[in-house]
Amino acid sequence: MSLPTFKFLRPRTLRQAADYLARHGSDLMVLAGGTDLLPSMKQKLFTPAYLMDIRGIEEIRGIHVRPGAGMEIGALTPLSAIEDSEFIRRNYRVLHEAAMTVASPILRNMGTLGGNICLDTRCVWYNQSLQWRRSCGFCIKKDGDLCHVAPGGKFCWAAFSGDTPPALLCLGAEVEIVGPSGLRRVAMKDFYTNVGDVRMKLEPNEMLTRVFLPEESAGWKGSYMKLRIRGSIDYPLAGVAVALKKNGGPVENARVAITAVNPAPLLVKGADNALVGKQIDEHVAAVVGELAAKMAKPLTTSGLTPEYRREIVKVYAKRAVLACVLSRA
Ligand SMILES: Cc1cc2nc3c(=O)[nH]c(=O)nc-3n(C[C@H](O)[C@H](O)[C@H](O)COP(=O)(O)OP(=O)(O)OC[C@H]3O[C@@H](n4cnc5c(N)ncnc54)[C@H](O)[C@@H]3O)c2cc1C
């Protein structure tokens, strides 16, 4: 379980990082907190010739409120900073709740928002040592050509298992990307592919720099609920985020997103229509639960059965909607 050999690059500015990406992009991986990447490299899931440690790039670290334009969060911002931000807790509640469920306090100190958004997809046949994979058989995602989860299938079903992306989807976030032609911005809802082995629309010579939250979704009520094996430290096996705008009267705007049950975090289709203009009650919340469960396509990528995970999505979506009405923030 030693690390493979690689050349180590440490840019201090975005321009330097962009130069390295342009020169070595297809043979380079970005290292942020390293909490997911380094264990995966020890399992020989990645053996890049170059590892680019971006932790020295101060310009993409920190939380900045931009009056009139919402908020900007640097990709290098640790998840613990999001958890500790009173501004985020009050204004972007669903993101605060999602960030505080990631892994454990120590991992949230090291792990970054950018790393959470770009997290590799997970599967019980993939996140294993080289020896394990060699004995049980390789798969489409790494070194093989078959899928153990959907036999005969040519599609990788590894599940995207990050906690903050569904919250960001609910808030209408955009990500900023640096590449050879400078900076570009992409809506989070268009960032993922929903294919397990090519999880996001990021070229090898690009990296994530910042996340933007619109002012329009500040102050929305929010809730995040997650199923995991170990409550103190674990990836989600199902997760539901809900954010809605409501000031005493009926719901004015709403989004619901799910994670860990598809190869991408996804907005739940029809959830906005089911909520907008309504007073929330058990029935309305249950309709959202049904819609969320319909979008969830978990397969046997983890130790829990797909049926159980889909049922939990239904229950958690209902509970998260009801929690938004009960929460004071
Ligand atoms: C025991 C354990 C439990 C965990 N539990 C959870 C959990 O509950 N929920 C959860 O969401 N995660 C969990 N994680 C995973 C991880 O800790 C977090 O997702 C963390 O936010 C990853 O951030 P990082 O900065 O450490 O990313 P890294 O490990 O540095 O990188 C992760 C991936 O993103 C890429 N990357 C990083 N930054 C950028 C960038 N700016 N631009 C482009 N690509 C980039 C890397 O190349 C790599 O592919 C867990 C990890 C462990 C070890």
Side-chain angles (χ1 to χ4, degrees):
M1 292 291 275
S2 55
L3 280 172
T5 50
F6 51 82
K7 292 201 176 84
F8 199 51
L9 306 171
R10 300 196 80 182
R12 297 285 166 190
T13 62
L14 262 191
R15 179 180 283 263
Q16 246 182 345
D19 283 350
Y20 284 138
L21 284 164
R23 251 186 289 159
H24 308 296
S26 51
D27 227 353
L28 175 153
M29 285 195 78
V30 171
L31 174 77
T35 58
D36 194 71
L37 181 57
L38 293 179
S40 298
M41 285 178 67
K42 288 181 180 179
Q43 292 175 320
K44 312 297 182 291
L45 294 171
F46 302 109
T47 52
Y50 296 89
L51 198 57
M52 183 169 82
D53 176 3
I54 59 173
R55 282 171 299 176
I57 311 176
E58 280 307 315
E59 58 199 292
I60 55 167
R61 187 190 301 276
I63 298 169
H64 307 282
V65 181
R66 305 281 183 224
M71 148 165 260
E72 175 190 315
I73 310 177
L76 267 182
T77 307
L79 294 166
S80 55
I82 293 168
E83 183 184 3
D84 293 345
S85 162
E86 185 54 22
F87 185 85
I88 294 182
R89 195 188 68 77
R90 269 192 283 113
N91 289 283
Y92 298 104
R93 174 84 182 202
V94 65
L95 177 60
H96 173 260
E97 288 200 4
M100 62 191 275
T101 71
V102 174
S104 67
I106 292 170
L107 288 166
R108 292 197 292 277
N109 277 340
M110 281 301 284
T112 64
L113 183 63
N116 200 241
I117 293 170
C118 298
L119 193 63
D120 193 16
T121 51
R122 297 181 64 75
C123 177
V124 72
W125 291 94
Y126 169 73
N127 295 95
Q128 304 288 353
S129 67
L130 179 59
Q131 194 185 2
W132 191 102
R133 287 181 289 119
R134 199 178 274 142
S135 346
C136 292
F138 295 115
C139 72
I140 299 179
K141 188 157 159 70
K142 178 72 182 157
D143 298 329
D145 55 8
L146 64 91
C147 178
H148 301 277
V149 167
K154 289 286 164 214
F155 181 90
C156 175
W157 285 95
F160 180 84
S161 308
D163 285 303
T164 64
L168 294 169
L169 282 172
C170 286
L171 295 170
E174 288 184 340
V175 289
E176 183 191 70
I177 291 165
V178 71
S181 40
L183 297 169
R184 65 184 177 99
R185 266 164 86 151
V186 180
M188 277 284 287
K189 66 179 174 49
D190 300 324
F191 183 62
Y192 296 101
T193 61
N194 205 22
V195 178
D197 52 352
V198 253
R199 63 194 187 280
M200 52 194 180
K201 295 176 192 161
L202 199 62
E203 297 300 326
N205 54 10
E206 293 183 320
M207 68 173 230
L208 214 81
T209 49
R210 297 178 185 89
V211 178
F212 296 94
L213 300 181
E215 188 148 276
E216 202 275 316
S217 44
W220 287 25
K221 296 176 185 308
S223 179
Y224 180 69
M225 295 201 177
K226 153 179 183 176
L227 171 72
R228 52 184 156 176
I229 303 268
R230 299 167 297 180
S232 57
I233 174 172
D234 237 330
Y235 293 86
L237 294 177
V240 182
V242 176
L244 51 89
K245 184 176 180 184
K246 189 178 183 315
N247 293 305
V251 175
E252 294 166 44
N253 207 341
R255 291 190 201 98
V256 177
I258 52 177
T259 190
V261 282
N262 295 84
L266 296 175
L267 280 168
V268 173
K269 284 188 196 131
D272 47 351
N273 284 339
L275 288 163
V276 173
K278 309 269 171 53
Q279 290 289 358
I280 291 174
D281 58 18
E282 289 265 338
H283 172 71
V284 169
V287 170
V288 174
E290 295 288 347
L291 291 169
K294 214 164 122 189
M295 283 214 69
K297 304 266 182 292
L299 295 189
T300 44
T301 53
S302 78
L304 296 181
T305 64
E307 293 78 12
Y308 180 69
R309 284 160 66 207
R310 194 177 304 112
E311 186 62 22
I312 282 290
V313 167
K314 182 162 79 182
V315 173
Y316 281 6
K318 178 180 174 188
R319 285 187 194 166
V321 168
L322 292 173
C324 285
V325 205
L326 298 174
S327 83
R328 289 165 195 276

